[in-house]
Amino acid sequence: METKIVRISEDHEEQWVKEAGQILKNGGLVAFPTETVYGLGANALDEKAAAKIYAAKGRPSDNPLIVHIADFSDLEKIVEKVPEEAVKLAKAFWPGPLTMIMRKNDKVPYGTTGGLETVAVRMPSDEVAQKLIRSGGGYIAAPSANTSGRPSPTSAAHVIEDLNGKIDMILDGGSVGIGLESTIIDLSEDVPTILRPGFITQKMMSDIIGKVEIDAALIKADSNIRPKAPGMKYRHYAPKANMILVRGDREKVAEKIRELVRQELDNGGKPGVLCADETASMYSEGIIKKIGTLHDELTISRHLYGVLRDFDEEGVSSIFSETFETPMLGTAIMNRLKKAAGQQLIEV
């Protein structure tokens, strides 16, 4: 398959979005930008089209897809009932990086939900994404546009690297704004429960709807339960190299990482170091990559997946990373890092 790659510009945006929408209506696949990461879109109500997503990504078939909509009125057409909490959260955070899980109706095929009776839905704020959803029929299933398990794509170049030749079209809208996937909250049970942390935090939601819990399975490396949300069960966001996180006092962390780097070099390896801008001067050996500044959490979230892909290109044998437990996005950043590291974490 030849993948058509187009750069979105004001002059030709309408033309490309219309063409991409027709591809989706015909059962094809289109990668497109959102405010979180690039998504790989297919008609969410077409089971055969959804199956193409799983094939292109190499994604396990029980890993549910998120349905993207552009208008709130479309939500009630695909769920049994819109919970009161969903209405309140949508007023506060939609369009935006929040996914809500509700009981599906018969309009949504099991091929989109991974066999579940629930459906995950979000309304992205990215204008290109919104226009594409409307052009493509209103319901676009769209996981991250990458090979399953790899770091999610935050630029069209990442999508091209993983999926060129496997999908019909890539809409290049430049770099994304947040760089981490949406928060997922399950509203299908008695107590609203976060299944994946993101830009919209537990406190932000509890301020709107009251009690919000965090699912205990969130931090488990492996689980025998059927996943209700993307990434709960499988290794995710992972670089090719073995990755180890080191947490503790900044000086002790740097000392431990320097020790691990020296051991790797002595064994003939090619170690990488992932650190903040503020601590980069504390390292002198290995492939050192700065993720961003601790004073601006978005620089860390935007660069996380890109830096992990950079380490792949460098061919490092191991990655030793600081932790980034920042005030607002720290839970989401650490969730992704722990999964990328296979839960390998050293306390110092």
Side-chain angles (χ1 to χ4, degrees):
M1 177 186 294
E2 181 179 349
T3 299
K4 187 169 186 175
I5 303 166
V6 295
R7 172 75 184 184
I8 292 293
S9 64
E10 290 185 11
D11 294 341
H12 301 288
E13 180 179 302
E14 185 177 347
Q15 170 193 340
W16 295 132
V17 168
K18 183 178 180 180
E19 182 177 335
Q22 193 59 51
I23 289 172
L24 293 171
K25 287 179 178 178
N26 293 338
L29 302 181
V30 176
F32 62 98
T34 76
E35 75 277 21
T36 56
V37 299
Y38 271 73
L40 176 58
N43 182 349
L45 306 185
D46 180 346
E47 199 155 31
K48 291 182 179 178
K52 292 180 182 179
I53 290 178
Y54 289 100
K57 284 174 61 69
R59 182 185 179 94
S61 61
D62 67 344
N63 202 1
L65 306 175
I66 294 174
V67 177
H68 290 58
I69 62 175
D71 298 286
F72 185 81
S73 59
D74 288 334
L75 177 61
E76 62 185 16
K77 300 174 187 176
I78 59 171
V79 300
E80 284 186 355
K81 180 182 177 182
V82 179
E84 182 182 348
E85 295 94 338
V87 175
K88 292 179 179 178
L89 290 172
K91 285 182 178 178
F93 305 117
W94 273 8
L98 177 65
T99 295
M100 296 187 276
I101 294 177
M102 289 158 263
R103 305 290 297 182
K104 80 175 190 72
N105 64 23
D106 292 339
K107 193 170 183 178
V108 185
Y110 289 112
T112 294
T113 66
L116 298 173
E117 297 293 342
T118 53
V119 60
V121 188
R122 103 169 179 95
M123 184 190 296
S125 62
D126 184 273
E127 290 185 5
V128 172
Q130 289 184 0
K131 290 175 182 178
L132 177 64
I133 292 164
R134 293 189 178 103
S135 176
Y139 300 96
I140 306 301
S144 54
N146 59 307
T147 300
S148 189
R150 289 212 68 202
S152 297
T154 53
S155 71
H158 298 157
V159 182
I160 294 167
E161 180 183 351
D162 282 10
L163 299 178
N164 192 22
K166 298 179 181 179
I167 64 177
D168 298 281
M169 179 181 278
I170 298 171
L171 295 178
D172 181 355
S175 297
V176 301
I178 296 174
L180 294 178
E181 299 83 357
S182 60
T183 304
I184 297 178
I185 185 167
D186 185 1
L187 301 178
S188 68
E189 305 292 345
D190 293 337
V191 180
T193 303
I194 294 173
L195 304 186
R196 181 174 72 189
F199 187 83
I200 307 300
T201 65
Q202 181 183 21
K203 183 181 185 308
M204 291 164 69
M205 289 187 286
S206 63
D207 285 346
I208 302 295
I209 61 172
K211 185 178 181 181
V212 174
E213 294 184 345
I214 295 180
D215 194 286
L218 199 65
I219 58 173
K220 293 181 181 178
D222 298 292
S223 174
N224 292 320
I225 65 169
R226 190 171 210 169
K228 291 189 75 173
M232 287 189 74
K233 179 178 175 183
Y234 302 98
R235 190 175 183 225
H236 232 53
Y237 325 115
K240 295 175 183 177
N242 181 54
M243 186 172 181
I244 296 174
L245 309 177
V246 184
R247 179 165 61 193
D249 174 79
R250 187 178 297 183
E251 293 286 344
K252 291 182 179 178
V253 166
E255 182 181 354
K256 182 63 177 180
I257 289 178
R258 289 195 297 267
E259 175 191 328
L260 293 169
V261 166
R262 175 40 53 190
Q263 290 175 0
E264 187 81 3
L265 289 169
D266 289 345
N267 291 328
K270 186 179 181 181
V273 175
L274 181 58
C275 61
D277 292 355
E278 291 85 350
T279 57
S281 62
M282 303 172 80
Y283 307 102
S284 59
E285 295 183 297
I287 305 298
I288 301 162
K289 293 195 179 293
K290 298 181 286 187
I291 193 173
T293 173
L294 297 171
H295 301 297
D296 183 355
E297 295 175 274
L298 277 174
T299 64
I300 296 174
S301 66
R302 284 189 192 119
H303 295 146
L304 173 58
Y305 293 137
V307 170
L308 293 181
R309 285 176 176 267
D310 288 344
F311 277 126
D312 285 349
E313 290 185 11
E314 295 272 6
V316 300
S317 52
S318 291
I319 301 169
F320 305 110
S321 175
E322 299 174 350
T323 58
F324 306 95
E325 287 151 313
T326 54
M328 181 178 162
L329 286 172
T331 300
I333 292 167
M334 288 307 300
N335 168 261
R336 306 318 194 265
L337 279 174
K338 286 177 181 178
K339 283 186 172 291
Q343 307 293 325
Q344 294 184 96
L345 188 148
I346 298 173
E347 300 275 3
V348 294

